[in-house]
Short mmCIF file of all heavy atoms in Angstrom, two decimals:
data_model
loop_
_atom_site.label_atom_id
_atom_site.label_comp_id
_atom_site.label_asym_id
_atom_site.label_seq_id
_atom_site.Cartn_x
_atom_site.Cartn_y
_atom_site.Cartn_z
N ASN N 9 0.84 -1.15 0.02
CA ASN N 9 0.02 0.01 -0.01
C ASN N 9 0.94 1.18 0.03
O ASN N 9 1.61 1.52 0.99
CB ASN N 9 -0.91 -0.02 1.24
CG ASN N 9 -1.95 1.10 1.20
OD1 ASN N 9 -2.58 1.34 0.17
ND2 ASN N 9 -2.09 1.81 2.29
N LEU N 10 0.91 1.97 -1.14
CA LEU N 10 1.71 3.12 -1.31
C LEU N 10 0.96 4.35 -0.81
O LEU N 10 -0.20 4.50 -1.08
CB LEU N 10 2.14 3.31 -2.81
CG LEU N 10 2.84 2.04 -3.34
CD1 LEU N 10 3.14 2.27 -4.84
CD2 LEU N 10 4.13 1.78 -2.61
N LEU N 11 1.69 5.25 -0.13
CA LEU N 11 1.07 6.28 0.62
C LEU N 11 1.75 7.72 0.37
O LEU N 11 2.94 7.79 -0.04
CB LEU N 11 1.14 6.06 2.10
CG LEU N 11 0.59 4.88 2.74
CD1 LEU N 11 1.11 4.71 4.15
CD2 LEU N 11 -0.93 4.97 2.75
N GLU N 12 0.98 8.71 0.64
CA GLU N 12 1.54 10.02 0.85
C GLU N 12 1.07 10.48 2.17
O GLU N 12 -0.03 10.20 2.64
CB GLU N 12 0.96 11.01 -0.26
CG GLU N 12 1.74 11.00 -1.53
CD GLU N 12 3.10 11.61 -1.54
OE1 GLU N 12 3.77 11.49 -0.54
OE2 GLU N 12 3.38 12.29 -2.56
N HIS N 13 1.92 11.27 2.92
CA HIS N 13 1.50 12.05 4.09
C HIS N 13 0.64 13.20 3.54
O HIS N 13 0.82 13.75 2.47
CB HIS N 13 2.78 12.65 4.77
CG HIS N 13 3.53 11.62 5.52
ND1 HIS N 13 3.12 11.10 6.70
CD2 HIS N 13 4.80 11.20 5.35
CE1 HIS N 13 4.08 10.32 7.23
NE2 HIS N 13 5.06 10.37 6.35
N THR N 14 -0.38 13.52 4.39
CA THR N 14 -1.35 14.57 3.84
C THR N 14 -0.70 15.92 3.78
O THR N 14 -1.19 16.75 3.08
CB THR N 14 -2.57 14.62 4.78
OG1 THR N 14 -2.21 14.57 6.19
CG2 THR N 14 -3.54 13.48 4.41
N VAL N 15 0.43 16.17 4.53
CA VAL N 15 1.10 17.46 4.32
C VAL N 15 1.63 17.64 2.96
O VAL N 15 1.90 18.75 2.44
CB VAL N 15 2.20 17.58 5.42
CG1 VAL N 15 3.42 16.77 5.06
CG2 VAL N 15 2.59 19.02 5.54
N ARG N 16 1.74 16.50 2.23
CA ARG N 16 2.26 16.59 0.80
C ARG N 16 1.05 16.72 -0.20
O ARG N 16 1.36 16.64 -1.35
CB ARG N 16 3.13 15.40 0.52
CG ARG N 16 4.45 15.52 1.22
CD ARG N 16 5.31 14.26 0.89
NE ARG N 16 5.33 13.78 -0.46
CZ ARG N 16 6.06 14.40 -1.49
NH1 ARG N 16 6.86 15.37 -1.15
NH2 ARG N 16 6.03 13.91 -2.66
N ILE N 17 -0.15 16.82 0.24
CA ILE N 17 -1.27 16.97 -0.62
C ILE N 17 -1.91 18.39 -0.27
O ILE N 17 -2.39 18.59 0.76
CB ILE N 17 -2.24 15.91 -0.39
CG1 ILE N 17 -1.63 14.50 -0.65
CG2 ILE N 17 -3.53 16.06 -1.29
CD1 ILE N 17 -1.25 14.30 -2.10
N LYS N 18 -1.93 19.21 -1.29
CA LYS N 18 -2.36 20.60 -1.12
C LYS N 18 -3.75 20.73 -0.51
O LYS N 18 -3.96 21.63 0.36
CB LYS N 18 -2.26 21.39 -2.44
CG LYS N 18 -0.91 21.49 -3.06
CD LYS N 18 -0.94 22.12 -4.41
CE LYS N 18 0.42 22.13 -5.04
NZ LYS N 18 0.40 22.72 -6.44
N GLU N 19 -4.63 19.92 -0.85
CA GLU N 19 -6.01 20.09 -0.37
C GLU N 19 -6.10 19.89 1.11
O GLU N 19 -7.15 20.29 1.75
CB GLU N 19 -6.95 19.11 -1.11
CG GLU N 19 -7.28 19.54 -2.57
CD GLU N 19 -6.24 19.11 -3.58
OE1 GLU N 19 -5.09 18.64 -3.19
OE2 GLU N 19 -6.44 19.20 -4.74
N PHE N 20 -5.11 19.17 1.71
CA PHE N 20 -5.12 18.94 3.14
C PHE N 20 -4.50 20.08 3.93
O PHE N 20 -4.54 20.07 5.20
CB PHE N 20 -4.56 17.60 3.50
CG PHE N 20 -5.40 16.43 3.21
CD1 PHE N 20 -5.32 15.76 2.00
CD2 PHE N 20 -6.27 15.90 4.20
CE1 PHE N 20 -6.15 14.65 1.69
CE2 PHE N 20 -7.07 14.78 3.90
CZ PHE N 20 -7.01 14.21 2.69
N HIS N 21 -3.91 21.02 3.24
CA HIS N 21 -3.16 22.08 3.97
C HIS N 21 -3.97 22.89 5.00
O HIS N 21 -3.38 23.27 6.06
CB HIS N 21 -2.43 22.91 3.03
CG HIS N 21 -1.18 22.29 2.39
ND1 HIS N 21 -0.41 22.81 1.41
CD2 HIS N 21 -0.69 21.05 2.60
CE1 HIS N 21 0.57 21.96 1.12
NE2 HIS N 21 0.43 20.91 1.77
N PRO N 22 -5.28 23.12 4.75
CA PRO N 22 -5.99 23.87 5.78
C PRO N 22 -5.99 23.15 7.14
O PRO N 22 -6.17 23.85 8.14
CB PRO N 22 -7.41 23.95 5.20
CG PRO N 22 -7.21 23.91 3.70
CD PRO N 22 -6.02 23.01 3.52
N CYS N 23 -5.85 21.85 7.18
CA CYS N 23 -5.81 21.10 8.47
C CYS N 23 -4.61 21.50 9.26
O CYS N 23 -4.61 21.20 10.50
CB CYS N 23 -5.86 19.61 8.22
SG CYS N 23 -7.24 19.03 7.27
N PHE N 24 -3.55 22.00 8.65
CA PHE N 24 -2.33 22.29 9.38
C PHE N 24 -2.23 23.71 9.81
O PHE N 24 -1.18 24.19 10.36
CB PHE N 24 -1.18 21.93 8.50
CG PHE N 24 -0.92 20.47 8.20
CD1 PHE N 24 -1.58 19.82 7.23
CD2 PHE N 24 -0.08 19.66 9.01
CE1 PHE N 24 -1.51 18.52 6.95
CE2 PHE N 24 0.13 18.39 8.70
CZ PHE N 24 -0.67 17.72 7.75
N LYS N 25 -3.27 24.59 9.67
CA LYS N 25 -3.23 25.92 9.95
C LYS N 25 -2.79 26.25 11.41
O LYS N 25 -1.86 27.04 11.63
CB LYS N 25 -4.63 26.58 9.72
CG LYS N 25 -4.75 28.04 10.05
CD LYS N 25 -6.10 28.63 9.72
CE LYS N 25 -6.16 30.08 10.03
NZ LYS N 25 -5.90 30.49 11.45
N GLU N 26 -3.43 25.58 12.37
CA GLU N 26 -3.08 25.84 13.79
C GLU N 26 -1.68 25.31 14.11
O GLU N 26 -1.04 25.94 14.91
CB GLU N 26 -4.14 25.24 14.73
CG GLU N 26 -5.53 25.84 14.55
CD GLU N 26 -6.40 25.17 13.49
OE1 GLU N 26 -5.80 24.35 12.74
OE2 GLU N 26 -7.57 25.50 13.45
N ALA N 27 -1.37 24.17 13.53
CA ALA N 27 -0.05 23.60 13.75
C ALA N 27 1.05 24.52 13.23
O ALA N 27 2.12 24.71 13.88
CB ALA N 27 0.09 22.23 13.22
N ARG N 28 0.85 25.09 12.06
CA ARG N 28 1.81 26.06 11.51
C ARG N 28 2.00 27.21 12.33
O ARG N 28 3.13 27.74 12.51
CB ARG N 28 1.35 26.46 10.08
CG ARG N 28 2.26 27.39 9.41
CD ARG N 28 1.77 27.70 8.01
NE ARG N 28 2.72 28.61 7.31
CZ ARG N 28 2.72 30.02 7.46
NH1 ARG N 28 1.91 30.57 8.28
NH2 ARG N 28 3.66 30.66 6.77
N GLU N 29 0.93 27.72 12.99
CA GLU N 29 1.01 28.90 13.83
C GLU N 29 1.48 28.66 15.22
O GLU N 29 1.72 29.61 15.94
CB GLU N 29 -0.41 29.55 13.83
CG GLU N 29 -0.91 30.04 12.52
CD GLU N 29 -2.34 30.49 12.48
OE1 GLU N 29 -3.02 30.23 13.53
OE2 GLU N 29 -2.77 31.05 11.52
N TYR N 30 1.69 27.38 15.59
CA TYR N 30 2.02 27.10 16.96
C TYR N 30 3.46 27.56 17.40
O TYR N 30 3.61 28.04 18.49
CB TYR N 30 2.00 25.55 17.08
CG TYR N 30 2.13 25.04 18.51
CD1 TYR N 30 1.00 24.82 19.28
CD2 TYR N 30 3.37 24.79 19.13
CE1 TYR N 30 1.11 24.38 20.61
CE2 TYR N 30 3.50 24.31 20.41
CZ TYR N 30 2.36 24.09 21.17
OH TYR N 30 2.51 23.65 22.42
N SER N 31 4.37 27.53 16.37
CA SER N 31 5.76 27.94 16.71
C SER N 31 6.47 28.27 15.47
O SER N 31 6.02 27.83 14.34
CB SER N 31 6.51 26.87 17.46
OG SER N 31 6.75 25.73 16.70
N LEU N 32 7.54 28.98 15.58
CA LEU N 32 8.45 29.28 14.39
C LEU N 32 8.97 28.01 13.77
O LEU N 32 9.03 27.90 12.53
CB LEU N 32 9.56 30.22 14.81
CG LEU N 32 10.47 30.68 13.70
CD1 LEU N 32 9.77 31.41 12.54
CD2 LEU N 32 11.62 31.50 14.23
N TYR N 33 9.43 27.08 14.68
CA TYR N 33 9.88 25.77 14.14
C TYR N 33 8.89 25.11 13.28
O TYR N 33 9.18 24.65 12.15
CB TYR N 33 10.32 24.93 15.29
CG TYR N 33 10.66 23.49 14.86
CD1 TYR N 33 11.92 23.19 14.46
CD2 TYR N 33 9.66 22.45 14.80
CE1 TYR N 33 12.35 21.87 14.06
CE2 TYR N 33 10.03 21.17 14.41
CZ TYR N 33 11.31 20.90 14.02
OH TYR N 33 11.63 19.64 13.59
N GLN N 34 7.64 25.05 13.71
CA GLN N 34 6.63 24.31 13.00
C GLN N 34 6.22 25.14 11.70
O GLN N 34 5.87 24.50 10.72
CB GLN N 34 5.38 24.06 13.84
CG GLN N 34 5.71 23.05 14.97
CD GLN N 34 4.49 22.70 15.88
OE1 GLN N 34 4.75 22.12 16.89
NE2 GLN N 34 3.34 23.12 15.53
N LYS N 35 6.26 26.39 11.75
CA LYS N 35 6.04 27.21 10.58
C LYS N 35 7.03 26.94 9.45
O LYS N 35 6.71 26.72 8.28
CB LYS N 35 6.05 28.71 10.89
CG LYS N 35 5.85 29.60 9.72
CD LYS N 35 5.90 31.07 10.13
CE LYS N 35 5.58 32.02 8.97
NZ LYS N 35 6.70 31.92 7.89
N LYS N 36 8.30 26.87 9.87
CA LYS N 36 9.33 26.56 8.94
C LYS N 36 9.26 25.18 8.39
O LYS N 36 9.41 24.92 7.13
CB LYS N 36 10.73 26.79 9.51
CG LYS N 36 11.05 28.26 9.80
CD LYS N 36 12.48 28.37 10.42
CE LYS N 36 12.83 29.80 10.66
NZ LYS N 36 14.22 29.97 11.30
N TRP N 37 8.88 24.21 9.21
CA TRP N 37 8.67 22.83 8.80
C TRP N 37 7.56 22.72 7.81
O TRP N 37 7.71 22.12 6.72
CB TRP N 37 8.42 22.00 10.05
CG TRP N 37 8.14 20.55 9.70
CD1 TRP N 37 9.11 19.49 9.45
CD2 TRP N 37 6.94 19.86 9.41
NE1 TRP N 37 8.47 18.32 9.11
CE2 TRP N 37 7.12 18.53 9.07
CE3 TRP N 37 5.55 20.40 9.31
CZ2 TRP N 37 6.11 17.68 8.73
CZ3 TRP N 37 4.59 19.55 8.99
CH2 TRP N 37 4.86 18.19 8.74
N PHE N 38 6.43 23.33 8.14
CA PHE N 38 5.33 23.17 7.23
C PHE N 38 5.64 23.88 5.94
O PHE N 38 5.33 23.35 4.86
CB PHE N 38 4.08 23.82 7.88
CG PHE N 38 2.87 23.84 6.95
CD1 PHE N 38 2.17 22.72 6.69
CD2 PHE N 38 2.58 24.96 6.19
CE1 PHE N 38 1.09 22.68 5.84
CE2 PHE N 38 1.52 25.01 5.33
CZ PHE N 38 0.75 23.88 5.14
#
């Protein structure tokens, strides 16, 4: 079963909004 993490699919990016804003480290990672 071949996969992608959802962070690599543009349509899922709204789900990461709060995580991105949590810290500078997480913003740079995202």
Side-chain angles (χ1 to χ4, degrees):
N9 186 47
L10 303 177
L11 301 166
E12 280 283 39
H13 286 288
T14 44
V15 74
R16 286 179 45 82
I17 301 294
K18 295 175 182 177
E19 286 82 352
F20 283 90
H21 285 178
C23 300
F24 292 84
K25 178 179 182 297
E26 295 87 352
R28 181 182 182 273
E29 294 171 351
Y30 189 94
S31 68
L32 180 60
Y33 171 86
Q34 290 181 193
K35 178 181 183 294
K36 289 181 177 179
W37 177 88
F38 176 80

